[in-house]
Amino acid sequence: MNANTPRALAQRCAELMFSQDTCAQAMGMQIEAVDAGMANVSMTVGPQMLNGHQTCHGGQLFSLADTAFAYACNSQGLAAVAAGCSIDFIRPALAGDRLTACAEVRHQGKTTGLYDVEIVNQEGKTVAWFRGRAHRLGHSILGEQP
């Protein structure tokens, strides 16, 4: 892959962020794909992620979606953080389910962006929808000009 493509930049940004993202690592998340304005992150629901109803805790789902959102909104090399997020839970996820959060940019301006994240299970069924608003901080993630 050409090191100067948008996909290569997104990959470098995600790899750097993941190397420092102890929360995502502790939850067993894996980066499946990244490109400019998008990221797919997956995890398997473990027994330690279950709530009192024996379904995946909403906070775990939020963390998965938020992680995919983070990699998507930082994929162009400019540091960005969440300005606000919301999540709608569609169906429960159970122990052993393999979940994938697919984040995609809807709008990216100079300093603010809007991203949607769909979490699907191993059967392709929607588990949750997440919407995040990003704010760019004005500096590079990699210490280089994006």
Side-chain angles (χ1 to χ4, degrees), residues 4-123:
N4 296 321
T5 66
R7 178 177 283 167
L9 174 61
Q11 186 71 39
R12 288 195 313 275
C13 292
E15 287 171 358
L16 175 64
M17 290 177 65
F18 187 79
S19 74
Q20 300 170 0
D21 191 342
T22 55
C23 179
Q25 293 173 31
M27 291 178 66
M29 293 184 200
Q30 297 177 315
I31 300 168
E32 301 295 337
V34 291
D35 207 334
M38 66 81 58
N40 295 346
V41 178
S42 65
M43 74 176 191
T44 299
V45 178
Q48 75 283 7
M49 297 177 174
L50 302 180
N51 62 24
H53 296 290
Q54 294 301 291
T55 61
C56 187
H57 193 288
Q60 306 290 312
L61 297 173
F62 189 97
S63 292
L64 175 62
D66 187 44
T67 300
F69 163 57
Y71 297 158
C73 71
N74 283 276
S75 64
Q76 294 175 315
L78 297 173
V81 295
C85 306
S86 65
I87 192 164
D88 292 298
F89 303 109
I90 307 302
R91 70 173 30 87
L94 306 173
D97 281 355
R98 184 70 178 169
L99 304 178
T100 303
C102 305
E104 188 174 349
V105 64
R106 295 295 177 223
H107 168 78
Q108 181 59 63
K110 184 176 179 181
T111 58
T112 61
L114 182 66
Y115 292 75
D116 284 331
V117 184
E118 181 182 21
I119 299 176
V120 297
N121 63 20
Q122 67 277 1
E123 297 170 359

